[in-house]
Amino acid sequence: MDSEALRVPEPMLDDPIHLVRGRPLKLLHGPQDSDFDFLPTSPKPNIPLPKPAGGGGGGGGDYQIRVKYQDGGQQTQLTIHQYNVMEDDDANLPADVLGVVSPLMAQLSSDAMATIEQLAADANAEIPTDWLMPQNDAGATEFLKAHDAAWVGRDGTPDEHSVPTGYYVNGELQERPTEPTPTNEPEPLPDTGDGIGQWATLGGNFSINASLIVDLGEGVRTMVVMGDYFKTDAIFQTNTTVDNDEISLSGGHGSPSVSNGENVATNIADFIQKPSIYAGFVAQVAGPNWIIDVVDGDYYSVHAVAQVNYLSDNDVGTQVSGSSHYNLVGGHNHQGNLSLVLDGSIHYDLIIINGSYHGLNVIFQNNILLNNDKIVMAADGSDPSQSVSSGANKLLNEAAIENYGGDTFGELPPNYELIQGLLAAGMTSIDPELGSALAGNGGGTLKILYITGDYYDINAVWQTNVTSDVNVMYQLQNQPAPDLMALDPDGAVTQSVSTGNNELANDAAIVDVNPDVTYVNGQVYTDSILVQANLLPSAPDDAVNADTNALVTELIAFVGDAQDTTSPPPAVVANTVQADPMASMLH
C-alpha cells in the first residue's frame, strides 16, 4: 500500500496547572510506531479491498483482516507515601532552671498533641463517612468496588454533595481566574538591623504538599464497555485553625503595636472538562492487521499518593537583656513533599472491556494549625518601641481534576458488538467490512486492548499538613548603659515578638486523558463531588478537649523567680491589665 506523508500536528496547548513550578505541563508523547493515529497514512487503502463473497459473514480470502492475540496490558498498582516529621520544641531558658522546667514542657507538648488529635477528629467529621478509605492502591480499589455497587443500589442517584463542573472557592461557584494562583513560597526572615533591643521570631513555619498525576493510559479513540460505566471526580478540603493569644505589654511610654492579624483559610477546587485530544483529527478506517493484547481477568490502573507534613514547634523562652541586640529565631521551619506521576502511554486505538469500567479521580486535602501564644513584654527603666505580631496565618488547599475527553457516550453499535464477540471467540481473521466500522489509522496495525473482566482506573491523592505552634515568650528589656546610648542618641530600643505567619499549603492536580468516544452496553453513571470546610473556632472550647494553656502560668512563674525581680516596677504602664507582668500572667 502506498503511503502519503502528512504534517505532524502541533503539540497540545500548555496545561494551565503549574503545580510543579518548572516547565509548563504538556501531554508529551514518546516515540510512536509509524502507524500511530497521529501519524496516519492515507485515509483509505489505495488498493481497494473486494467485498467478501456470499452472505457477508465469511470469505474474503487473502483480503481478510488478520488478527494476532498476545498477552499484554501495562497495568499499574502504585502507592507513594511521603512523610516529613519535624520536632522543633525549643526552650530558651536559664541553664539552672531548664532541668526543672523540662518535664513541664513535655507535658505542654503532650497537651498540644491531644488538642491536635481533637482538631483532626473535627476535620474528619466534615468528610462523609462513606468516603473514608485506606490510603493505598488496594484500599482505594476496594472502596471503589463498594461505592459503585452502592451507586447501582440507589438507581444512579447522585451523591448528596454532587456539584456541576466548575471553579469553586470556599463552597462558592465562581468564574475561573485568568491569572494563575501565586506560587506558594516561604516568607523571608525579618531584617532586625543592628540596634539595641530584643527580637523573637517563633512562628513563620512553612509546610507544603504538591502532587501531580498525569494518567494517559485510557487516551484511546474508542472504548467499548460491555457492562456498566462508572466515573466519579471528587475533591474534599478542610482547613482547621485554633489561634487564641494572650498578650501583655508594660513599661513603654509610646503606644505599643499589637497586630493579631486575621487568619486566612482558602479552599480552591477546579473541575475542568476539556475536549478530547483527538479533536480536529479525522479518524481513519482500521488497518488490515490487528494486534490484540489480552488481559484475562480484571485490569488495574491505580495510582495512590499520600503526603503528610507534621511539625511541632512549641517554644518556651525568655529574653532578658539591656545593652545588646538579642535576636531569637525559634521557628521559620520549612518542609515539603513533592510528587510527580506520569503513567501510561497512548498505545492503543481501541479498548474493549468485557465487564464494567470503574473510574475515580479523588483528592483529599487537610490543613490543621494550633497557634496558641502567651506573650509578656516588660521594660525596666527603658522606653522601648514594643510590637507584637500574632495570627496572620495562611491555610490554602488548591486542587484541580482536569479531564480530556471522556464525555461522549453512545449505545453499543451492532458492528462493535459483533467484533467483540468474534474477538472473544478468538477469531484470527475478520471480514474487512467490519473493520471499516472502527476508528483506526487507515493502514498498518490496529492495536486493541481486550480485557475479560472489569477495568479499575483510579487516581487518588491525600495531602495533610499539621502544625503545632504553641509559644510562651517573656521579654524584659533593661535600661541600656548611658555610654552606649550616647553613641547613638537617636537610636531606639526595641521589643518585638512574632509568633504567627505560619503557612500550610496543599496543591494537587490530576490530569486524566480519556477516550474520544465510549460505547456502553449497560448504564452510564457519572458524578462530581465537592466538600469544602473552614473550621476557625473563636474559643478553645469550641473545638478542643485539652487546655494547652494549663501549664503556661507555672512556666512563667518559675522563670520569673529565677530572674532579678528587685527592680522597681515601671513608672508607665501601657496596654496591660496589671502593672506587674508576673502578676498579670498568674492572674
Side-chain angles (χ1 to χ4, degrees):
M1 300 180 183
D2 294 337
S3 63
E4 177 182 353
L6 297 178
R7 183 175 64 86
V8 177
E10 294 295 328
M12 297 182 64
L13 295 176
D14 290 352
D15 192 282
I17 304 170
H18 296 281
L19 178 60
V20 179
R21 311 298 177 180
R23 298 176 58 189
L25 170 66
K26 295 183 179 180
L27 293 179
L28 302 178
H29 308 287
Q32 302 290 342
D33 296 339
S34 60
D35 58 0
F36 184 62
D37 283 350
F38 282 177
L39 301 174
T41 56
S42 56
K44 293 184 179 180
N46 291 332
I47 302 176
L49 298 177
K51 295 183 181 299
D62 293 338
Y63 300 104
Q64 292 286 298
I65 293 174
R66 294 180 293 275
V67 182
K68 177 183 177 181
Y69 298 87
Q70 61 186 21
D71 293 334
Q74 299 177 353
Q75 301 190 56
T76 303
Q77 290 178 275
L78 173 68
T79 296
I80 297 174
H81 283 164
Q82 295 179 317
Y83 296 98
N84 287 313
V85 178
M86 182 185 299
E87 292 188 5
D88 184 33
D89 299 337
D90 300 321
N92 185 55
L93 300 169
D96 56 339
V97 302
L98 184 59
V100 180
V101 175
S102 292
L104 299 178
M105 291 187 58
Q107 185 62 45
L108 180 65
S109 296
S110 176
D111 290 346
M113 175 59 72
T115 304
I116 289 291
E117 291 176 354
Q118 182 60 47
L119 296 179
D122 292 342
N124 286 334
E126 297 296 322
I127 307 301
T129 55
D130 57 349
W131 273 94
L132 301 178
M133 69 185 84
Q135 297 181 12
N136 54 59
D137 59 292
T141 302
E142 292 304 312
F143 163 82
L144 188 57
K145 291 178 180 178
H147 173 271
D148 290 350
W151 204 351
V152 173
R154 62 176 187 266
D155 296 327
T157 303
D159 189 276
E160 63 175 315
H161 300 287
S162 180
V163 296
T165 298
Y167 181 85
Y168 294 84
V169 178
N170 293 336
E172 298 294 332
L173 181 62
Q174 300 184 7
E175 291 292 329
R176 191 172 285 111
T178 57
E179 296 295 329
T181 304
T183 303
N184 293 307
E185 294 181 351
E187 296 289 336
L189 280 170
D191 184 3
T192 61
D194 55 5
I196 299 173
Q198 300 163 344
W199 291 260
T201 300
L202 305 180
N205 300 293
F206 180 82
S207 293
I208 185 171
N209 292 305
S211 180
L212 172 62
I213 298 177
V214 181
D215 183 8
L216 303 173
E218 296 73 47
V220 297
R221 283 194 175 273
T222 309
M223 177 182 285
V224 172
V225 181
M226 300 305 296
D228 294 329
Y229 179 97
F230 302 88
K231 180 64 176 293
T232 304
D233 294 331
I235 296 175
F236 302 92
Q237 299 171 316
T238 65
N239 289 310
T240 306
T241 303
V242 172
D243 183 15
N244 295 285
D245 305 322
E246 296 184 22
I247 302 170
S248 175
L249 300 92
S250 62
H253 291 147
S255 299
S257 172
V258 179
S259 173
N260 189 359
E262 181 180 358
N263 298 305
V264 178
T266 307
N267 290 311
I268 300 175
D270 200 359
F271 297 94
I272 307 169
Q273 179 63 56
K274 290 197 171 182
S276 163
I277 61 173
Y278 297 96
F281 297 98
V282 179
Q284 314 299 326
V285 298
N289 299 303
W290 294 5
I291 295 180
I292 317 296
D293 285 353
V294 179
V295 175
D296 188 11
D298 295 336
Y299 185 93
Y300 297 91
S301 176
V302 184
H303 315 97
V305 178
Q307 300 174 314
V308 177
N309 286 314
Y310 176 77
L311 171 60
S312 178
D313 184 32
N314 304 317
D315 302 325
V316 177
T318 63
Q319 286 179 301
V320 180
S321 63
S323 303
S324 67
H325 177 97
Y326 193 160
N327 187 23
L328 171 64
V329 178
H332 204 66
N333 301 288
H334 300 162
Q335 57 184 0
N337 289 308
L338 301 176
S339 175
L340 170 63
V341 178
L342 176 61
D343 188 64
S345 60
I346 303 177
H347 186 65
Y348 298 102
D349 303 288
L350 170 66
I351 294 177
I352 298 177
I353 304 169
N354 200 41
S356 295
Y357 170 86
H358 303 269
L360 173 64
N361 295 316
V362 62
I363 298 172
F364 296 89
Q365 295 177 320
N366 299 279
N367 288 315
I368 299 173
L369 172 64
L370 175 61
N371 188 212
N372 289 353
D373 304 315
K374 185 153 285 192
I375 302 166
V376 174
M377 285 182 178
D380 183 8
S382 64
D383 182 18
S385 171
Q386 296 174 322
S387 65
V388 175
S389 175
S390 63
N393 301 291
K394 299 177 183 177
L395 290 78
L396 172 64
N397 290 314
E398 186 171 9
I401 297 177
E402 184 169 0
N403 284 286
Y404 285 83
D407 57 344
T408 301
F409 300 95
E411 295 182 359
L412 186 64
N415 285 347
Y416 277 80
E417 188 171 6
L418 178 57
I419 290 172
Q420 187 276 336
L422 294 174
L423 297 181
M427 297 294 293
T428 58
S429 63
I430 293 179
D431 191 324
E433 282 293 301
L434 292 177
S436 64
L438 299 183
N441 51 40
T445 302
L446 183 79
K447 296 180 180 179
I448 301 175
L449 176 62
Y450 186 93
I451 300 164
T452 65
D454 290 350
Y455 194 115
Y456 293 93
D457 178 20
I458 302 173
N459 301 299
V461 178
W462 292 266
Q463 294 179 319
T464 302
N465 288 308
V466 177
T467 297
S468 176
D469 187 27
V470 178
N471 301 304
V472 179
M473 190 65 202
Y474 174 80
Q475 288 183 334
L476 175 60
Q477 176 64 51
N478 295 314
Q479 177 67 38
D483 56 346
L484 183 62
M485 293 299 294
L487 297 176
D488 187 12
D490 296 328
V493 179
T494 300
Q495 282 185 304
S496 175
V497 176
S498 176
T499 59
N501 298 304
N502 299 288
E503 293 190 34
L504 291 74
N506 291 309
D507 200 348
I510 297 173
V511 179
D512 195 6
V513 181
N514 302 289
D516 186 36
V517 179
T518 304
Y519 295 112
V520 182
N521 196 43
Q523 300 296 318
V524 175
Y525 303 86
T526 61
D527 202 1
S528 297
I529 298 170
L530 176 64
V531 173
Q532 294 179 317
N534 289 321
L535 307 178
L536 308 175
S538 58
D541 293 340
D542 289 347
V544 302
N545 290 332
D547 182 5
T548 59
N549 293 322
L551 299 176
V552 169
T553 54
E554 298 177 40
L555 289 169
I556 293 299
F558 190 89
V559 172
D561 290 343
Q563 305 297 325
D564 181 8
T565 59
T566 60
S567 300
V572 178
V573 178
N575 196 31
T576 182
V577 177
Q578 295 178 330
D580 184 355
M582 295 302 165
S584 176
M585 291 298 297
L586 292 171
H587 178 65

